[in-house]
Amino acid sequence: MTLGFAEIALPVPMRGHFDYLLPEGMVPCIGARVLVPFGRRQLVGIVMRCKSASDMPTDKLRAVDTLLDEESVVSQLFLDWLSWASQYYQHPLGDILFTALPVNLRKGLTQDALQKAWQLTDKGQQFDPQDLKRAAKQQALLIALKPGPQLHQTLSEHYSAAIFRALEEKDLIEATNLAVKAKLDWPEHISLAEQPRPNLEQSLAISAIAHQNETFRCFLLEGVTGSGKTEVYLQAIEPLLRQGKQVLILVPEIGLTPQTVRRFQLRFGLDVGILHSGLTDNERMQVWRQARSGELGIVIGTRSAIFTPMKNPGMIIVDEEHDGSYKQQDGWRYHARDMAVVRARLENIPLLLGSATPSLESLNNALTDKYQHLLLRQRAGQAKPVQHQLLDLKGQQLEYGLAQGMRNRIQAHLQQGNQVMLFINRRGYAPALICHQCGFVEECRRCDRSYTLHRGMNKLQCHHCGDAKHIPHSCQQCGASSMQPVGLGTEQLEQGIASLFPGYPAARIDSDSARGKQKLHQLLEDINQGNYQLLIGTQILAKGHHFPNVSLVVILDVDGALFSADYRAAEKLAQLITQVAGRAGRAHIQGELWLQTHHPSHPLLQDLLNNGYQHFARLALKERRFAALPPFSYQALFRAESNHAAQAHDFLLQVRQLLSPGPEMAAIGPIPALMEKRQGRYRMQLLLQSTLRTGIQQQLNRLMPQIEKLPLANKVRWSLDMDPQDFT
């Protein structure tokens, strides 16, 4: 039987595959890349199937231009996994496949294991190195290249970029590429560093994981902050690494990557692959290739690292599994944690989810025995539980957001030589600029939200669409020169702290101050070396960092989150408070958490501070059950946006009219999003909720082709979000 046709998945927003003719003699592997004509363009596609006939007339089909791969870039297991994702998230498979591939492969570049290297030119071969005796480094590099080409990665450890550039300009050396054979003997080079003796709870967790490390099992490791979850990870993966199995570890933020990588490198003495958005395309490609060939035993990365192939998979770990950054919020809206569950099941390997504040979805799975629940109730080593306190702000005189009593408490901790962390989840100088005469507020016209004042950059910026403008000298409404900042941000707090506590160095850590490839890493290093005693920051500081000298954490204002319209707000606030509190007292120092609030008797705060997150989360699950909210129901959210509010509303109304609501499924909307206008477009939402996951999936499978053909579908920007996490 001649296989003359191929089904190709293409990176276009269209469902289904596309049939192409195969040129005579071309027999591509399933999962290989091909170059095909598509309209007036040429696109890189993935071969899904080869077949002997097509439903389309042969004279209507075009032929594959070029076969790019002799072997697959996407394994059959990955195709099955991503095909499941396409069906579950109701997203075109071609788009999903190319999201999962490195950029270089999407562009059609080779997947061969080539690395940058340097070699002597013909002139360099004839050149006498003694003529460079006044440039010792250049001379040494020239001598090093005499035997033959050398990898840039190896040479760059000894020679700066200026040395390479100088010799290249003299036409003595030139860049080239070398094919590098995969080194698979890394298990023989494991050099285990001294490890702490685990306590009883850690030992039980490590033992439970070890008994299941040959098959699929999902573990939820729920441990209070500072309980040694990372130590459990380290000891749980050791036997797998010694067997030559690979481990993939997801972390929520780039900022956590360096300290996590360093800890794993020090423990095992192995190279660790790193994947995050701060890398170049070539760097990401190299890690992808090394992991795929089995050359790396450990890969650590952020959300998209879940798509890293492993030749010999042993375990997947999702650290801080509750974190919202694991959910993709545009394009294909996948959740990396949920993708990890399905991948681990297909790979038949264990999955370890870790958090001090597990999501209610994961906690419910553990409490109903879908996941194996592992508890760490006590802090590791000599660390003591953090003392939680509330400070009532009513009637208090505030200076830079701090009450007098709190300023005294901070002073006492600073005088003892400890570090103090001040948390305010608002970057910039002030969240608004207002006219003191007429009350006019400088607002972003595209978002109907106030501009944030950034005094250091001398501008007003909208944090929703990125629009920026210069700070006005006078009110554009009444002309008065009395524009005043309102509210407090990290920039203003940093300035105020310098005047309140002179002589104590302060570091501000937010997305403005930590901008740059190594800036955050350097700031964290300086903090741990004691160069700063006062730490001011946003959520970046709350996520898993280890600051052994922090004894006091102050959360300046939590009131805004107590009255949110989002039903997940209470869960997110409890997680945030617990995580921030966990930065204090992680070594021998007694830690304190102080919450400043105008509502000290609020039930959420009282329950969280008196009973802890574990009690709060279990009570929150009961409330969710009574309200029939996730995880006791399942949701899908249609979003539509347009320059005209009525157009977005009418499109979702047409979608709703296609639905077949029943006792198991309800439709809520169309209604405006919590933030109705953003980037100049009006945003509407239609929420589907069902007690059965299959109920929503069956309706969507039936309706999506019809929805795509609605008259307004091409006139508005719309999307579908399965298991939505954000309703703003």
Side-chain angles (χ1 to χ4, degrees):
M1 181 174 65
T2 303
L3 300 176
F5 303 89
E7 287 184 16
I8 310 294
L10 295 174
V12 293
M14 300 170 68
R15 296 175 190 279
H17 308 146
F18 299 86
D19 282 3
Y20 281 85
L21 293 167
L22 287 173
E24 188 175 350
M26 182 183 290
V27 185
C29 300
I30 306 302
R33 295 172 304 151
V34 290
L35 198 62
V36 297
F38 188 80
R40 297 181 178 180
R41 299 178 290 165
Q42 272 199 326
L43 296 179
V44 176
I46 301 288
V47 178
M48 301 301 295
R49 186 161 73 102
C50 295
K51 55 189 182 181
S52 58
S54 171
D55 294 334
M56 293 287 292
T58 303
D59 60 349
K60 299 286 186 183
L61 296 180
R62 303 169 79 177
V64 172
D65 280 344
T66 309
L67 177 62
L68 298 174
D69 302 304
E70 293 299 325
E71 60 180 34
S72 305
V73 295
V74 184
S75 69
Q76 185 60 54
L77 184 143
F78 259 52
L79 286 175
D80 294 342
W81 177 43
L82 297 176
S83 295
W84 167 86
S86 173
Q87 185 175 21
Y88 180 77
Y89 290 102
Q90 299 292 328
H91 197 85
L93 178 58
D95 199 30
I96 286 177
L97 280 166
F98 281 81
T99 298
L101 288 177
V103 172
N104 285 6
L105 295 184
R106 298 179 215 169
K107 293 178 178 177
L109 300 180
T110 179
Q111 61 169 317
D112 294 336
L114 297 176
Q115 291 189 32
K116 183 179 179 181
W118 293 94
Q119 65 183 11
L120 297 178
T121 61
D122 291 340
K123 180 180 176 181
Q125 294 281 3
Q126 307 299 323
F127 190 82
D128 185 357
Q130 292 303 316
D131 293 343
L132 289 173
K133 58 185 177 182
R134 291 187 178 181
K137 279 288 187 180
Q138 293 182 33
Q139 183 187 58
L141 177 54
L142 208 63
I143 293 172
L145 291 175
K146 280 288 185 183
Q150 301 278 340
L151 289 177
H152 173 77
Q153 185 176 0
T154 304
L155 293 172
S156 61
E157 295 177 5
H158 307 285
Y159 304 100
S160 68
I163 304 298
F164 293 108
R165 190 163 54 249
L167 289 177
E168 193 174 22
E169 289 172 355
K170 293 172 182 174
D171 194 28
L172 297 178
I173 65 171
E174 62 185 357
T176 184
N177 289 312
L178 282 182
V180 181
K181 186 177 180 181
K183 298 178 181 178
L184 305 180
D185 61 346
W186 55 264
E188 302 170 16
H189 300 291
I190 293 175
S191 177
L192 197 65
E194 184 178 351
Q195 59 188 31
R197 184 175 180 179
N199 60 32
L200 178 60
E201 289 181 330
Q202 288 175 316
S203 296
L204 290 173
I206 295 165
S207 178
I209 297 166
H211 282 303
Q212 299 279 345
N213 65 11
E214 296 293 334
T215 185
F216 170 68
R217 181 67 168 158
C218 192
F219 299 91
L220 175 63
L221 181 62
E222 182 183 8
V224 298
T225 53
S227 59
K229 293 183 290 296
T230 305
E231 185 59 37
V232 173
Y233 303 159
L234 288 162
Q235 297 200 28
I237 70 173
E238 181 191 337
L240 295 171
L241 294 174
R242 292 195 180 280
Q243 296 170 36
K245 294 186 177 181
Q246 298 167 278
V247 178
L248 174 62
I249 303 162
L250 301 187
V251 293
E253 293 286 344
I254 294 175
L256 289 178
T257 310
Q259 69 176 36
T260 308
V261 168
R262 186 164 58 252
R263 192 160 178 187
F264 279 78
Q265 284 176 330
L266 290 174
R267 175 60 61 88
F268 299 111
L270 296 175
D271 288 336
V272 173
I274 307 171
L275 285 170
H276 55 68
S277 59
L279 302 178
T280 66
D281 292 343
N282 287 338
E283 288 170 334
R284 293 178 69 88
M285 182 67 205
Q286 182 177 341
V287 175
W288 182 91
R289 187 188 294 116
Q290 289 176 315
R292 186 171 183 261
S293 67
E295 197 172 342
L296 288 172
I298 304 171
V299 176
I300 298 175
T302 50
R303 178 177 60 227
S304 62
I306 188 59
F307 304 116
T308 307
M310 293 186 284
K311 182 179 182 180
N312 192 12
M315 182 184 289
I316 300 174
I317 297 172
V318 182
D319 191 29
E320 308 292 356
E321 66 83 28
H322 68 278
D323 200 281
S325 61
Y326 286 124
K327 174 73 171 178
Q328 176 72 25
Q329 295 295 352
D330 53 29
W332 168 34
R333 291 170 164 81
Y334 68 91
H335 199 301
R337 179 198 62 213
D338 299 342
M339 291 290 292
V341 174
V342 179
R343 178 177 176 182
R345 186 173 68 237
L346 290 172
E347 302 262 24
N348 197 31
I349 58 174
L351 170 68
L352 180 53
L353 308 176
S355 178
T357 55
S359 64
L360 296 189
E361 286 82 0
S362 294
L363 182 59
N364 185 60
N365 283 333
L367 296 177
T368 54
D369 295 328
K370 291 181 182 177
Y371 297 168
Q372 187 166 339
H373 200 185
L374 307 173
L375 281 168
L376 303 178
R377 299 180 180 86
Q378 55 183 312
R379 291 190 134 190
Q382 304 299 315
K384 301 174 183 176
V386 178
Q387 295 177 350
H388 298 77
Q389 308 284 349
L390 284 170
L391 179 64
D392 189 351
L393 289 180
K394 292 194 293 290
Q396 294 265 15
Q397 184 74 32
L398 301 182
E399 194 167 358
Y400 295 104
L402 293 168
Q404 179 61 52
M406 187 55 61
R407 298 198 296 271
N408 295 339
R409 197 81 197 106
I410 292 171
Q411 185 72 45
H413 280 260
L414 293 174
Q415 288 174 348
Q416 293 170 13
N418 298 331
Q419 290 175 320
V420 174
M421 181 187 295
L422 304 175
F423 178 87
I424 178 169
N425 207 21
R426 192 182 298 125
R427 65 187 173 96
Y429 188 87
L433 189 68
I434 190 170
C435 177
H436 193 55
Q437 293 297 321
C438 70
F440 174 78
V441 178
E442 284 284 350
E443 287 189 342
C444 174
R445 300 296 176 87
R446 301 177 69 206
C447 299
D448 286 344
R449 287 291 190 275
S450 63
Y451 280 109
T452 298
L453 172 62
H454 289 260
R455 184 153 280 170
M457 294 184 282
N458 192 35
K459 68 178 181 179
L460 297 175
Q461 185 174 40
C462 175
H463 287 178
H464 302 287
C465 71
D467 186 46
K469 62 188 248 184
H470 289 298
I471 301 173
H473 297 293
S474 59
C475 174
Q476 61 175 287
Q477 182 164 286
C478 72
S481 300
S482 55
M483 302 301 291
Q484 299 290 332
V486 177
L488 185 69
T490 52
E491 189 182 335
Q492 185 181 166
L493 181 59
E494 179 187 29
Q495 178 181 311
I497 286 297
S499 62
L500 291 174
F501 306 101
Y504 294 103
R508 171 165 61 95
I509 302 176
D510 55 27
S511 56
D512 294 326
S513 65
R515 190 170 289 139
K517 196 167 185 181
Q518 293 295 326
K519 191 67 182 292
L520 177 59
H521 177 61
Q522 187 58 53
L523 276 171
L524 296 175
E525 285 287 323
D526 290 342
I527 290 170
N528 281 321
Q529 289 173 13
N531 295 339
Y532 299 104
Q533 271 192 264
L534 283 157
L535 320 180
I536 301 159
T538 58
Q539 286 192 55
I540 296 176
L541 277 178
K543 298 185 177 183
H545 299 296
H546 180 68
F547 302 127
N549 296 318
V550 170
S551 60
L552 174 64
V553 171
V554 181
I555 301 180
L556 270 69
D557 183 15
V558 297
D559 293 346
L562 294 175
F563 306 101
S564 172
D566 183 355
Y567 71 87
R568 294 185 186 273
E571 176 189 2
K572 293 175 182 177
L573 178 60
Q575 289 168 341
L576 180 62
I577 291 173
T578 305
Q579 291 288 340
V580 173
R583 300 316 105 203
R586 295 177 69 90
H588 59 282
I589 307 170
Q590 175 65 60
E592 291 182 36
L593 166 73
W594 280 87
L595 279 172
Q596 292 192 151
T597 175
H598 288 90
H599 303 277
S601 60
H602 193 284
L604 187 157
L605 298 179
Q606 287 295 325
D607 184 27
L608 188 63
L609 268 62
N610 292 320
N611 303 314
Y613 183 83
Q614 290 188 2
H615 183 273
F616 160 81
R618 286 149 181 79
L619 186 63
L621 275 174
K622 291 180 181 178
E623 293 176 350
R624 293 272 186 96
R625 184 188 293 274
F626 288 135
L629 289 170
F632 304 101
S633 63
Y634 306 94
Q635 294 180 337
L637 184 68
F638 280 98
R639 293 184 173 93
E641 54 184 67
S642 171
N643 292 326
H644 308 285
Q647 204 171 51
H649 178 275
D650 291 347
F651 168 72
L652 292 182
L653 191 61
Q654 292 175 359
V655 173
R656 177 165 183 155
Q657 290 167 352
L658 291 174
L659 296 170
S660 303
E664 293 87 15
M665 193 178 82
I668 304 167
I671 57 174
L674 292 179
M675 184 178 176
E676 183 177 1
K677 188 179 180 184
R678 183 173 181 176
Q679 295 181 324
R681 304 173 72 88
Y682 293 91
R683 306 156 77 232
M684 296 286 169
Q685 298 180 347
L686 174 64
L687 180 67
L688 309 185
Q689 183 166 304
S690 174
T691 54
L692 299 172
R693 193 188 297 272
T694 53
I696 286 184
Q697 286 292 331
Q698 288 171 358
Q699 288 248 16
L700 292 175
N701 287 336
R702 177 178 62 85
L703 291 178
M704 289 304 284
Q706 300 177 51
I707 292 171
E708 290 169 345
K709 295 176 182 176
L710 286 172
L712 289 173
N714 292 325
K715 296 180 180 179
V716 302
R717 186 184 299 167
W718 66 277
S719 63
L720 173 63
D721 188 357
M722 296 298 301
D723 307 321
Q725 302 288 310
D726 182 9
F727 294 89
T728 56

